[in-house]
Amino acid sequence: MATAAADRTAMRRAITLAARGLGATSPNPVVGCVLTDASGRIVGEGFHQRAGGPHAEVHALRDAGDRARGATAFVTLEPCNHTGRTGPCAQALLDAGVARVVYAVADPNPQATGGADTLRAAGIQVEQGLLEAEAAEGNAAWLTSVHRGRPYVLWKYAATLDGRIAAADGTSRWISCAESRADVHRLRAEADAVVVGSGTMRADDPHLAVRGVDGAVQPLRVVLDTDARAVGPGARVLDDAAPTLVAVAEDARTDLADVVRVPRADGGLDVRALLAELYARGVRSVLLEGGPTLAGAFVAAGAVDKVVGYLAPVLLGAGPAALGDAGISTLSDALRLDVTETVRIGSDLRITAVPTVTPAATKER
């Protein structure tokens, strides 16, 4: 007889499986599924591998075969109840003869919700909420995009211990260690789009493609070039390693092919309008790699959902700070963060933090 501990072990395995789909399933969520028999032994498992492909439940059912009959399905997200590019997973579980379904997070998508009700109506034992917080964290990008109607934004930066991203003469390679730089490629591989601004383009001519991550789906490279002057012929982002989109002002003159025009705002481009354009193109997660000016604009717009800072044991004492003007003029208006993780990476310290209130709520204060 399976125990509560065995249930948690199975769901934790499903959460681990779901993470394998990060960066490859957009605009769909990442989902993992594990099937266990009456003793709690795993008989099948799977995850959603790519948009348009079979969902996690279908992969797990195929893996289990006849052993799915009478099994318990542990799913990180409520089984879908609609027919899109694939059939409804709730019906697939019914057809396979699964006896019990445990899911972590209810599906907030009105087009797909209702799977739990369908299963219950057919006599299946259904439970919700097991390891809900852990599963939601693993699916934070998609859940944010559903709730807020815009992509999830992770701002990443590398800085010295005194908060400088470059020296006074502009040199910045390399503040962070090799291990940290490799970790950034993992973040890129998990994102749908990587965003930088014109300042970073001029200073670094970045490539922005993923390197060193097996099987990675290359993210969309996005450059905010308000006046269409920073991305010129020969720019590394214009090669064929990954798709590229250049965002320019509505009145900017450019001969570039892949361009999106965005309204001007506060000396640059309207961040919310840009995110709306990216959302319309299927982007559900953004890795913000731009410099302090662009980061400040995103913070000011209430559009930063997570911060990952790589702090190097280096002191400069002068040079640009990690964050530029974010419209915060007094301490009481500061964007407060909860530190969720601190990890030593090589010689650096990686700190992960999230706003203590939602970015939208911060903007509306």
Side-chain angles (χ1 to χ4, degrees):
M1 186 73 176
T3 64
D7 285 358
R8 288 193 296 273
T9 297
M11 184 62 81
R12 195 160 280 120
R13 173 60 179 167
I15 292 170
T16 299
L17 289 168
R20 294 184 182 180
L22 285 169
T25 65
S26 192
N28 296 344
V30 294
V31 183
C33 179
V34 166
L35 298 174
T36 65
D37 62 17
S39 67
R41 182 173 60 93
I42 293 177
V43 296
E45 59 181 31
F47 67 98
H48 186 35
Q49 299 176 11
R50 60 179 178 82
H55 289 186
E57 296 92 326
V58 173
H59 281 296
L61 291 170
R62 290 175 179 173
D63 186 38
D66 292 340
R67 295 175 297 175
R69 185 161 299 279
T72 294
F74 295 87
V75 196
T76 57
L77 185 69
E78 179 184 358
C80 68
N81 199 43
H82 79 299
T83 300
R85 284 185 283 182
T86 61
C89 291
Q91 188 60 50
L93 292 167
L94 288 174
D95 293 344
V98 168
R100 175 177 172 236
V101 174
V102 181
Y103 66 94
V105 179
D107 194 332
N109 183 352
Q111 294 180 328
T113 191
D117 291 338
T118 295
L119 291 166
R120 288 192 184 97
I124 304 297
Q125 180 184 348
V126 179
E127 302 167 28
Q128 186 263 326
L130 180 63
L131 301 185
E132 182 176 7
E134 292 181 32
E137 173 60 25
N139 225 352
W142 182 79
L143 289 168
T144 296
S145 72
V146 172
H147 289 305
R148 298 181 190 161
R150 65 156 174 84
Y152 175 90
V153 178
L154 187 161
W155 171 41
K156 157 265 163 187
Y157 70 93
T160 63
L161 204 57
D162 57 338
R164 309 293 177 174
I165 62 166
D169 65 356
T171 55
S172 62
R173 296 186 179 182
W174 294 105
I175 285 176
S176 59
C177 66
E179 292 88 345
S180 290
R181 299 196 297 275
D183 195 58
V184 170
H185 283 278
R186 175 189 61 83
L187 294 182
R188 287 181 182 176
E190 293 177 356
D192 297 337
V194 179
V195 176
V196 299
S198 57
T200 298
M201 277 300 303
R202 293 189 181 96
D204 299 335
D205 186 24
H207 191 227
L208 303 180
V210 177
R211 298 188 302 276
V213 180
D214 292 340
V217 176
Q218 291 291 348
L220 175 68
R221 300 177 290 189
V222 181
V223 181
L224 275 64
D225 188 6
T226 304
D227 296 309
R229 296 174 182 169
V231 183
R236 297 173 71 207
V237 294
L238 297 180
D239 68 10
D240 59 1
T244 299
L245 181 68
V246 180
V248 301
E250 292 172 321
D251 57 350
R253 298 179 63 181
T254 177
D255 295 326
L256 292 173
D258 296 320
V259 168
V260 59
R261 295 189 177 274
V262 179
R264 291 179 182 268
D266 299 327
L269 297 178
D270 187 315
V271 169
R272 292 176 180 272
L274 171 72
L275 291 175
E277 290 283 354
L278 294 178
Y279 185 87
R281 294 167 183 259
V283 171
R284 297 296 180 265
S285 61
V286 164
L287 176 62
L288 181 62
E289 288 200 40
T293 300
L294 188 61
F298 271 71
V299 171
V304 171
D305 301 293
K306 180 185 282 189
V307 180
V308 175
Y310 297 87
L311 298 184
V314 176
L315 297 175
L316 285 173
L323 183 65
D325 183 6
I328 300 170
S329 58
T330 184
L331 188 60
S332 62
D333 288 338
L335 177 58
R336 303 285 177 174
L337 307 173
D338 280 333
V339 174
T340 59
E341 183 185 53
T342 56
V343 177
R344 181 75 178 266
I345 297 188
S347 59
D348 298 341
L349 183 66
R350 185 185 71 199
I351 298 179
T352 302
V354 297
T356 55
V357 294
T358 64
T362 301
K363 181 63 179 174
E364 293 167 0
R365 284 186 311 183

